[in-house]
Amino acid sequence: MTSTHAFWLAGRQATGEDTLDVTSPWDGRLVGTVAVPTEAQVEEAVAAAHAVLDEFAATPAHVRAAALDHVSRRLVERTEEIAQLISAENGKPLKWARGEVGRAVSVFRFAAEEARRFNSGDAQRLDTDAGGAGRLALTRRFPRGAVLGIAPFNFPLNLCAHKIAPAIAVGAPIILKPAPATPLSGLLLGELLAETDLPAGAWSVLPVPNDRMPALVQDERLPVISFTGSDKVGFAIMDSVPRKHCTLELGGNGAAVVLADYASERDLDWAATRIATFSNYQGGQSCISVQRVIADASVYERLVSKIVAAVETQVTGDPATDTTDVGPLVSEDAAKRVESWVDEAVRAGAQLLTGGKRDGATYAPTVLSEVPEDVTISCEEVFGPVLTLRRIESEAEAFAAVNDSKYGLQAGVFTHDLQAAFRAHRALEVGGVIVGDVPSYRADQMPYGGAKQSGVGREGVRFAMDDYTYERVMVLTGLAL
């Protein structure tokens, strides 16, 4: 890793007047120093994106697909290097960082495939009424304009990929703003994009501080905003630019429901292992990590003992070690917040079954039961390695408990009953229902997003491409249909 990193301005490297230090949340060491663009350089990047709109939209599909394929291949070639970079700047254990690189590989590959088949056109005969005789409607999709992609810290490579790849696939210029805590992975994507033949101005990676984000959000030359982060910031963005097209992937407090039929020892072992793993992966810093377990009374006691045992096998420590399962949170302040929420719940009567200890930025994998419904950890997204357990008496009560939240991102339902699966799909107010597994499952090509305060719009390569474009119809007249 180099100690100084330029940013990417309209496809070329540049440096500004200020710099930003990136430090490891594990040990505080300096990971890299990043150049910060000046206001004039940001203006140059936005102007370049706006100027290249028509040229980029008209770029042949094979050119865009080739660029996306190139990035996918180069990510494969540099997997270990990139995984170490993610781990260093984010604190993510290497095992999960390697998985993140693999997912980004897929995102760019999927985008290349979609770029080749996107916009083939939809023809519709209009002579279904007499006035439409000899007329044919041809519908295609065109970019809404340049995209402002705002990425979070928790998946510093893959969630940048989910902004960049769909934009390139449809021929929409993109300005990427990576998270200030973790800009290095986004800048590395810029390095790979610079190896392609995409037109100058089609992309920039600008590590500007958060206090300079509102100016970008307000810029009329960036009519599309794709934001991943907190519900508070996301909806503030949408409220500030009501005429822009916003895709918001926001928070959650993911629930895993274990129904009565999921009762064998093998069933409960699987559920407990998956719940323990995915309440703690990424240090719990995932919008779809398991935060709540809602289990039928008939399996509750057996499941609880298995979950606690499985959680206690999670190895906490140095993220650079291959055996580490749970690394630090993004900062010590983040860990202190989690600690305060757990302490509040315990004071209110919650039972601490395991964990509950902080060491700097690291918080031990924690399980709570008997948690009052009005404490913070019951109502908000903990974004840490903490799991709450709740006993219910029926399927209807379980589904009501899932819905008793302002969030609605994804839910997991452990059941073998196909009818129950369809009832869950109908009843649960979430963007995704994962049957037989935790809510944390996400395939990067599927539609991904939430209901209620978990967001607006959908990610997943093909679905983001739809969000970045709009339908335009052309009617042909005088045809012999």
Side-chain angles (χ1 to χ4, degrees), residues 78-98:
R78 298 176 63 177
T79 291
E80 191 62 23
E81 170 199 349
I82 298 169
Q84 291 178 13
L85 179 65
I86 293 170
S87 183
E89 69 171 342
N90 172 275
K92 183 174 300 192
L94 267 178
K95 61 189 289 184
W96 295 113
R98 293 185 185 111

Side-chain angles (χ1 to χ4, degrees), residues 8 22 50 92 128 251 371 400 457:
W8 294 92
V22 180
H50 185 69
K92 183 174 300 192
T128 49
V371 181

